[in-house]
Amino acid sequence: MAKKIVVENREWEKKENKFKYCEALENGNILFFDAPPFPFPQDEIDFLLKQKQGGSAARKNIAYKPQIDKITNHDTKDPASALRLKEILSNYSKRVTEFLSVLLSPYAKQWKHDYASFRPFQEKGRKLRLRARNDLLHVDAFPTRPLHGSRILRFFTNINPTENRVWNTSDDFAELAKHFAGKVPVPQSPGYDLLSRLTRKMKFFARKAGVKVPLRSPYDQFMLQMHNFLKENQQFQQNCHKDRWEFPPLSCWAVFTDQVSHAALSGQYALEQTFIIPQKALLCPEKSPVCVLERLSGRNLVDTELLQKQLHL
Ligand SMILES: [Fe+2]
């Protein structure tokens, strides 16, 4: 079960703590900060809190893509307010990155700076299709952006001035994989049979022709299946051991969400920044989901040929 590791008193600046927080995360724990460990101007928070919850609660979160400096899923008709929103999310993204470059310095040179998101919706009672529901326990997986064994690290901030953000967590990936071995099929190793080699070839051609087909490794396929299996498994959702987490106003937390099973039960107005951590940057790679799964199944689940193609196409 995930433990709460309180980070305080600028302990991250001490040399002896260089590896402490990366190890805590890789052991399936949650780093907790009772206030943002970087400047967060009140006028930026006030602007975000004024963003109205849209008519459809089925809408996605607002995403900020740092590589192209763009926001998506934002429906404002007012260009000045869209620009201000983008500026605030960009500022948040930069400040989190700058801070984590110190706190998690062993990762900083190799991570991929992924999307930030603003979550203006009340999670309690939010109407989403079952597989998209945030209030059901799950481990994260990306349906359209395969990770080939890289990790999903997320940093959150609750900017709601009065309401806690409430999570449940349950067992970590290693326990879940052991428990559900056999129920969630582990795909065959890459290039195992003629059909999988042909499918792979067709995907290469499709991508060369400009069609955005995700090149999933067996690991990515498994993680998606596991994500869906857990959300659809009523018995697991009802009977598994749960720990309740209350994240108060202005607190922050960081966690590997592909490892710690989690559910957001309630709360409105949170920010989040994602980092993709490659296997080679990890301090304890043997604890990562891909290694756990390869040990359990005795199969190679990362397709290095696909990975190279993905990087170059
Ligand atoms: Fe999640």
Side-chain angles (χ1 to χ4, degrees), residues 134 138-140 154 257 262:
N134 298 324
H138 63 283
V139 283
D140 284 350
R154 290 188 146 153
T257 54
H262 59 284

Side-chain angles (χ1 to χ4, degrees), residues 210-221:
V211 183
K212 283 192 176 168
V213 189
L215 297 176
R216 290 191 193 118
S217 64
Y219 168 72
D220 293 295
Q221 291 171 40

